[in-house]
Amino acid sequence: MARPPAGPARSACLGILLAALLPGPVAAQVPPPPAASASLPAVQLEGHYEATTGQGDAASAGTVTRRLIANRPVQRPAEVLEFVPGLVVTQHSGDGKANQYFLRGFNLDHGTDFATFVDGMPVNAVSHAHGQGYTDLNFLIPELVRRIDYRKGPYAAEDGDFASAGSARIVLLDRLDHGFASVTLGPDGYRRLLAADSVEGPGGHWLAAAEGFMTDGPWTVPQRLRKSSLLLRHRGGTPGLGWRLGLMHYDNRWTATDQIPARAVAEGRLGRFDSLDPSSGGRTERFSLNAGLDGETADGDWQLSAYWIRSRLNLWSNFTYALDAPTAGDQFEQAERRQTLGGEARRSWAFTAGGRAQRLSLGGQIRHDRLDPVGLYRTVERQRLRTTAESELDQTIGGLHAELATVWSPRFRSVLGLRHDRAQFDVARSSVPENTGRARDQQTSPKLALIWGPWAGLADSELFLNAGRGFHSNDARGTVARIDPVSGDPVERVPGLVASRGTEIGWRGQPLAGQQTALVLWTLRLDSELVYIGDAGTTEALGASRRRGLELNHHGRLEGWTILGTPGRDWLIDLDLAWSRARFERAPAGADHVPGAANRVASFGLGWAPEGGPWQAQFQLRHIGPRDLTEDGRQRSASTTLGSLRLGWQAHRALRLGLDVFNLFDRKASDIDYVYTSRLPGEPAAGVEGRHFHPVEPRSLRLTATLRWD
């Protein structure tokens, strides 16, 4: 194939983009041009991760298939994100609260810096009562997930707010091959009922599902969690035009056992599963409507989508016990009522220019959140004593993005991307009058991906270079604040958008038959780090930080092997290893460690799933390494390694039985650790600084019976 022309305009544009990107890293990922597929030898890796050689734009991006999601045991709905290689999901409170997430040297708290979408709707909540980017996935029904498209790093032009560490798009099923009903029973009052079916109806296909769930958990104070979820989806269309409609409703109420001080457990004053405030907990509700249109044209395709989400949350917590109010206690409530309205439009064109296959994609997204109110209150046994801060606010963010994917030769292609975002913040009312006002911010984010390969003689390998700029938004209240509502001291306002810059170089290939390996070296810099403050239950914007790391991922079938007398093609293997280092920039010597950042994460999965056989098994091992708990690095958490097991038996064409075992080795470990100051009755008035932890749940078994029908 002819070499690309090296005209001055092309060279100048590429030079400017490289100059803008490489000094402060970042990257891009785009579907390659359809015309490009004819020029590249595509090799599809069969199995549970979709990774087609010659198609992806980064070694750290991929798709999780329904097969893996259905086979692996999941203890909580948000753990579907653990299918993203290198991502770990934990919990430090009741199961109605958003989970904790760890990825690429981040303690992402409840979701900041990792963008999550379900059915095209953003899950990360801006200016949230508990924490910026709050990602509550408890409304999700894992059995209805069709696939998860994931990326790591700020490299895709379509990814905007919260996508510095990456993004995950969870795509739901439009139809079921069979209707089904299942019941799951477990210890500590675990009961779950789920029913789903799909039918052809007026105008297309309809899918409906309902879930009811309750559990007390292993806690001394029963969790008394009661959850219900409903889903209704419609998909229809004509040749060249499709449409979809979706409705979801979710309601949850629970009592929480939050983290407790390790000193009290060591002294015998508390058991590992005890609580210091039996009235902590929460209630939440979420209702959403979404719709979409998509079509094909002679030269490409287009998509339109819109959504409306109404949600509420009341969260009662007590992390310091009797430090601020020795008599009444330190319980506080974080509450909000929210409506979110947004949409997206995309158009892409496939064409040939200069003898080279090209694909141009243009798109725009807009999102508006109204919170009325969002507040922080002092409480006793969930009863409000006084208002610490209460606000009414609006936040709007809109973005335009463009990507151009070009196949320069059979062994080289590129993706150039550009994104521009504008955000407006309006705090119209506040219980602290000085903390009202308006602010705005904007950012332009260039993206770049360069891909060499594939080389069939070198294990179908490819080499990727990605760079790009991303951002996360800050809480609207922080962009206009003048006074700290607790202390009354003056505070500095924070910028509306905080930039991140990342680069990575990656290799992906198939050195073994039926298996794919990826190796990625990456860096990421944030202009401002959001760190969770355990004794306040909020996040605080600190200084700039830099991360770097190495990832190794290996997935596939054990072709050519014989294991336990069965052919290797019936066995699936997953191995994900990640090492990282996170440090504050311009911090005093010995005080530059980022609290909560895990330096290593590993997972190993081995599944047995013979085609057409009645039995199936999956073993999973997950490890998260020590985390610095203080900026000086002197206090660190222990590592946590947990195993799980799933056994399945197709007893009859219409009946399937399954057994899940969590914390298989019954490890006494922590889901989360913090270091801060708290006070128990009888301790000094100034409190005691020390480690606080939330234990992992002990070994538990869940038995599921599923009845299906045609």
Side-chain angles (χ1 to χ4, degrees), residues 165-179:
S167 67
R169 284 175 164 77
I170 299 173
V171 181
L172 303 180
L173 289 167
D174 288 320
R175 64 178 63 198
L176 296 168
D177 295 332
H178 306 276

Side-chain angles (χ1 to χ4, degrees), residues 359-430:
R359 187 180 187 92
L360 174 64
S361 299
L362 301 178
Q365 300 146 333
I366 189 165
R367 169 180 176 173
H368 176 79
D369 287 74
R370 178 171 180 78
L371 288 88
D372 184 13
V374 54
L376 177 65
Y377 312 89
R378 276 293 177 181
T379 57
V380 173
E381 295 183 347
R382 302 194 181 190
Q383 300 301 309
R384 292 181 183 177
L385 297 181
R386 66 179 185 274
T387 298
T388 303
E390 185 180 83
S391 303
E392 174 188 331
L393 65 87
D394 292 87
Q395 181 169 334
T396 304
I397 185 166
L400 298 174
H401 58 85
E403 283 186 331
L404 177 64
T406 305
V407 177
W408 298 97
S409 78
R411 298 293 179 266
F412 177 64
R413 52 197 168 94
S414 67
V415 182
L416 299 178
L418 190 65
R419 181 181 182 92
H420 183 76
D421 292 272
R422 291 177 60 90
Q424 297 185 6
F425 310 90
D426 183 3
V427 182
R429 179 182 64 83
S430 174

Side-chain angles (χ1 to χ4, degrees), residues 33 167 194 225 292 335 416 556 693:
S167 67
L194 172 63
L225 183 141
L416 299 178
F693 75 100

Side-chain angles (χ1 to χ4, degrees), residues 617-637:
Q618 176 76 30
F619 169 73
Q620 199 69 30
L621 194 66
R622 186 259 276 169
H623 169 85
I624 180 170
R627 284 88 70 199
D628 290 318
L629 302 179
T630 56
E631 283 85 350
D632 60 13
R634 294 180 181 177
Q635 297 203 53
R636 308 188 77 203
S637 72

